[in-house]
Amino acid sequence: MSVTTPQAQAPQTPSGLLSTRPVWLVGILATLAGAVVTEAFALVARAAGVPMEAASPGATEAAEIPVGGFFGGVVFWSVAGIVLAVVLARWAEQPTRTFTVTTVALTALSLAGPAVAPHTATSTQIVLAASHVVAAAVVVPLLARRLANVRR
């Protein structure tokens, strides 16, 4: 006699849940995750004694980077990444590849800002540059994974 058992349904992983959500929603969630991780990174650097003062090009002196400044920066700049992802999901033939190549190139380009920041301690420049990489390391893979599930 044959006994049939129902097949166990595999629980959906968070990435599985995100794979069916709108690209813009995954972008917002990825941005929030990236902003939290980046702000935590900055808080650890601040606690370790890294001075959180930086100057923009043309400034005569450095200004303090407030607590929450890294979070806000990630949110601000990630809006462009979300828009890019939504546009690529709609019209690109290879949205994942195009998004990944573009965002990695833009992240590399963004490292120039901290490198040339006047009146900014070298340790702060390093933390600023590393924070760009930290944010991208969280946001880009989550959005790229979602773009990999775009159906045409």
Side-chain angles (χ1 to χ4, degrees):
M1 172 185 276
S2 155
V3 176
T4 59
T5 58
Q7 291 183 353
Q9 189 175 18
Q12 281 194 307
T13 63
S15 63
L17 290 172
L18 294 179
S19 68
T20 59
R21 301 293 185 251
V23 173
W24 63 266
L25 178 59
V26 173
I28 290 171
L29 295 173
T31 296
L32 292 174
V36 167
V37 170
T38 305
E39 184 64 33
F41 171 76
L43 289 171
V44 168
R46 190 181 301 265
V50 175
M52 288 299 162
E53 296 179 345
S56 301
T60 57
E61 62 183 44
E64 183 174 351
I65 302 168
V67 171
F70 286 80
F71 185 96
V74 172
V75 170
F76 180 83
W77 289 107
S78 291
V79 169
I82 294 169
V83 170
L84 175 64
V86 168
V87 167
L88 292 175
R90 176 73 173 105
W91 289 293
E93 190 166 316
Q94 296 180 324
T96 305
R97 185 178 192 291
T98 305
F99 178 79
T100 303
V101 168
T102 302
T103 53
V104 168
L106 289 172
T107 301
L109 185 61
S110 78
L111 300 178
V116 299
H119 313 292
T120 304
T122 302
S123 59
T124 305
Q125 290 174 318
I126 292 168
V127 168
L128 288 169
S131 72
H132 291 206
V133 175
V134 168
V138 175
V139 177
V140 172
L142 290 171
L143 267 168
R145 184 175 300 144
R146 172 58 185 93
L147 289 173
N149 293 313
V150 169
R151 302 287 180 242
R152 302 241 178 266

